[in-house]
Amino acid sequence: MATDTFPYSFKVNAASVVDKDHKMVVEPDAAGLKAIAGTYDLDAISDLKADFRLKPYRKAGLRVVGTITADITQTCVVSLEPFDSRLRLDVDRTFEPHSSRPAKTRDLNADGEIEIDLETLDPPDVIIDGVLDLGAVICEEIALSLDPFPRKPGVEFKAGEVDDSLEEDKSEEKPSPFAVLEALKARNED
């Protein structure tokens, strides 16, 4: 997981979680909230809290289990009005210091196509240089949960409804080229 690509970082030494669970609460400051909101096209994030439990996983890995709650403000794609909503995300991810993902050649079938088994669990993510960035985990979870076309509750787009200003623009459109040709043809016949 490359932390350079995320707007917020909260790094934890993976070696510190060896034989027992560690409770970790992550609450970004105002600058962190602003950076996350700006990166994911949110109007604002007024509150964000990640309540994690870090557990040992296999020999040198970690399991991150917990919840992320966030109060966000988005713009409705239908009404263009800002609206508030609350995210509650359950997190359960595993991390290892090396990649346990199968080699690319093992993912290919006889036709050279990649086969994906939707029934198997995702392989663990990778811990880079002994450091796990919980800020990156938070950012990924938020990014994956956001609706790309957010709608304010109760607002619906109804097909066939046209804004009055659009109707006025329609009446001022240029005539079609065929109508111009028909008018020229009629004038030449006279």
Side-chain angles (χ1 to χ4, degrees):
M1 174 182 318
T3 58
D4 298 342
T5 59
F6 295 99
Y8 177 70
S9 181
F10 187 92
K11 295 181 179 180
V12 174
N13 182 354
S16 66
V17 182
V18 179
D19 56 355
K20 63 178 183 172
D21 295 0
H22 288 276
K23 184 171 174 47
M24 183 84 46
V25 176
V26 181
E27 294 181 272
D29 60 8
L33 295 177
K34 186 175 180 179
I36 295 168
T39 300
Y40 302 115
D41 294 326
L42 300 171
D43 294 344
I45 300 177
S46 59
D47 184 43
L48 190 152
K49 180 180 178 183
D51 191 3
F52 291 140
R53 182 161 302 278
L54 306 180
K55 302 177 175 202
Y57 176 76
R58 295 189 179 165
K59 290 183 181 180
L62 289 176
R63 182 171 173 210
V64 178
V65 179
T67 58
I68 299 171
T69 54
D71 294 324
I72 63 172
T73 303
Q74 295 176 285
T75 299
C76 175
V77 295
V78 177
S79 68
L80 301 179
E81 296 174 321
F83 69 98
D84 297 327
S85 61
R86 182 163 182 85
L87 295 177
R88 185 182 191 295
L89 311 172
D90 292 321
V91 177
D92 188 351
R93 294 182 49 187
T94 54
F95 298 85
E96 288 186 333
H98 58 82
S99 179
S100 64
R101 298 176 196 268
K104 288 186 179 184
T105 55
R106 288 189 226 149
D107 291 340
L108 301 179
N109 65 15
D111 297 329
E113 297 173 342
I114 296 175
E115 289 185 3
I116 299 173
D117 184 4
L118 299 176
E119 298 300 318
T120 62
L121 295 174
D122 289 337
D125 288 309
V126 180
I127 297 172
I128 299 173
D129 297 328
V131 176
L132 175 61
D133 190 350
L134 292 177
V137 172
I138 292 167
C139 291
E140 283 180 342
E141 294 293 328
I142 288 173
L144 291 171
S145 72
L146 293 174
D147 184 349
F149 305 104
R151 290 189 184 179
K152 185 176 181 177
V155 174
E156 291 184 28
F157 177 76
K158 295 179 183 168
E161 287 187 8
V162 179
D163 188 0
D164 291 339
S165 63
L166 295 176
E167 277 297 319
E168 292 169 11
D169 291 344
K170 246 184 187 178
S171 64
E172 296 174 12
E173 288 182 12
K174 295 180 182 180
S176 80
F178 298 108
V180 173
L181 287 173
E182 189 66 36
L184 285 173
K185 182 179 176 183
R187 196 169 11 152
N188 286 340
E189 290 176 358
D190 289 339

